[in-house]
Amino acid sequence: MADKVLIVEDEKELAEILGEYLSVEGYKVSLAFDGEKGIEEIDDFKPDLVLLDIMLPKVDGMTICKKIRETSDIPIIMLSAKNGEMDKVICLGIGADDYVTKPFSPLELVARVKAHLRRFDKMPRTLYDKGGLQIGQLTFYKESYVARIKEKEIDFTTKEFEVLYFFAVHHNQVFSKEQIYENVWGLNEYGDISSVAVYIKRIREKLREYDLDYIKTVWGAGYKLSIME
């Protein structure tokens, strides 16, 4: 079955061009030209990935991103005419997986879509691979991208899971932001090093909901996962 991509973009011509490129690549595409319609399509179309403009009529993209993250960890790529660092940090901070500044090449965006969908594991969240890596109160199931505390599953996005799993595999080792980026994102993947700090912040916030303070900052050196229990 073809992956489904929802494009929420008020520039109709741009949305249609992107839809054509993605359709040629074999994706099933739905278009929404305002935020309200975008929210409807999320429920009706049930996309595997969302391309989401920030500045939308009726409901803005950031609000939609937050709404998606309440129930789903599907990849979200934000589209924006703004190229400020703060806008990108805010979008990543509320749960977006990527941030693309206009104007952009449709071919580049298609490549990003492919990269995010390759990473996104569609296995049912109730199916856990056997064994699992246990560090402190956390247990990781790499094949199904699941992290659990005792019997409670933590709602990590795929990239958040990859960052935390990398730390778990290299427990108590210190890594710089550059090293984390190279090992988790890879040199051939889209993104930038500034994303590392944003993802670590998001992971810390989710762990602290369970009173876990596992990610430590080593000033001047980087970060590490340290279990002191």
Side-chain angles (χ1 to χ4, degrees):
M1 184 179 295
D3 286 321
K4 296 189 289 185
V5 178
L6 172 61
I7 303 172
V8 188
E9 168 61 66
D10 63 331
E11 294 182 43
K12 186 175 181 180
E13 183 177 357
L14 173 60
E16 290 175 344
I17 290 173
L18 294 176
E20 290 176 3
Y21 272 86
L22 290 165
S23 295
V24 167
E25 293 294 328
Y27 297 107
K28 186 175 181 179
V29 178
S30 179
L31 306 180
F33 304 124
D34 64 62
E36 284 186 359
K37 182 62 176 176
I39 292 173
E40 291 177 9
E41 284 297 283
I42 289 164
D43 293 331
D44 297 339
F45 185 59
K46 294 180 172 54
D48 299 299
L49 180 145
V50 178
L51 295 175
L52 182 59
D53 189 27
I54 292 180
M55 302 299 292
L56 291 167
K58 299 182 180 179
V59 182
D60 66 87
M62 289 189 182
T63 299
I64 297 173
C65 180
K66 292 176 184 177
K67 183 175 177 60
I68 294 172
R69 282 292 172 257
E70 290 175 0
T71 58
S72 175
D73 61 354
I74 61 172
I76 301 172
I77 301 177
M78 304 297 289
L79 310 177
S80 178
K82 299 179 179 180
N83 59 6
E85 186 71 17
M86 185 54 64
D87 294 301
K88 180 174 184 178
V89 169
I90 290 172
C91 287
L92 294 174
I94 62 175
D97 296 278
D98 204 348
Y99 184 99
V100 181
T101 303
K102 300 176 184 178
F104 52 78
S105 162
L107 289 175
E108 177 188 344
L109 192 63
V110 170
R112 289 177 184 250
V113 168
K114 290 180 178 179
H116 283 288
L117 285 172
R118 278 198 301 267
R119 279 203 314 270
F120 186 65
D121 194 304
K122 296 182 180 177
M123 291 179 64
R125 293 311 215 190
T126 55
L127 298 180
Y128 302 133
D129 41 307
K130 295 181 180 179
L133 171 66
Q134 185 166 358
I135 300 291
Q137 297 185 44
L138 288 169
T139 303
F140 298 88
Y141 300 89
K142 183 64 170 68
E143 295 302 316
S144 51
Y145 272 58
V146 168
R148 302 169 71 194
I149 296 176
K150 297 180 180 179
E151 297 303 315
K152 177 68 174 178
E153 181 178 325
I154 308 176
D155 185 24
F156 287 122
T157 66
T158 53
K159 185 57 66 180
E160 289 168 358
F161 179 91
E162 289 175 355
V163 172
L164 187 55
Y165 185 79
F166 172 73
F167 277 123
V169 170
H170 302 91
H171 175 220
N172 217 35
Q173 295 183 42
V174 179
F175 294 94
S176 66
K177 286 190 291 186
E178 290 78 9
Q179 290 172 320
I180 297 167
Y181 182 82
E182 290 175 7
N183 282 277
V184 178
W185 276 258
L187 296 177
N188 296 321
E189 190 172 322
Y190 293 102
D192 59 57
I193 292 174
S194 65
S195 302
V196 173
V198 176
Y199 277 93
I200 289 176
K201 180 177 182 291
R202 282 162 48 177
I203 292 167
R204 279 173 163 162
E205 289 173 349
K206 292 183 178 181
L207 290 178
R208 283 169 182 163
E209 292 178 11
Y210 301 89
D211 296 320
L212 300 181
D213 188 22
Y214 286 172
I215 305 296
K216 308 295 184 182
T217 299
V218 181
W219 298 108
Y223 306 92
K224 69 176 180 178
L225 187 146
S226 180
I227 310 298
M228 299 293 291
E229 297 180 333

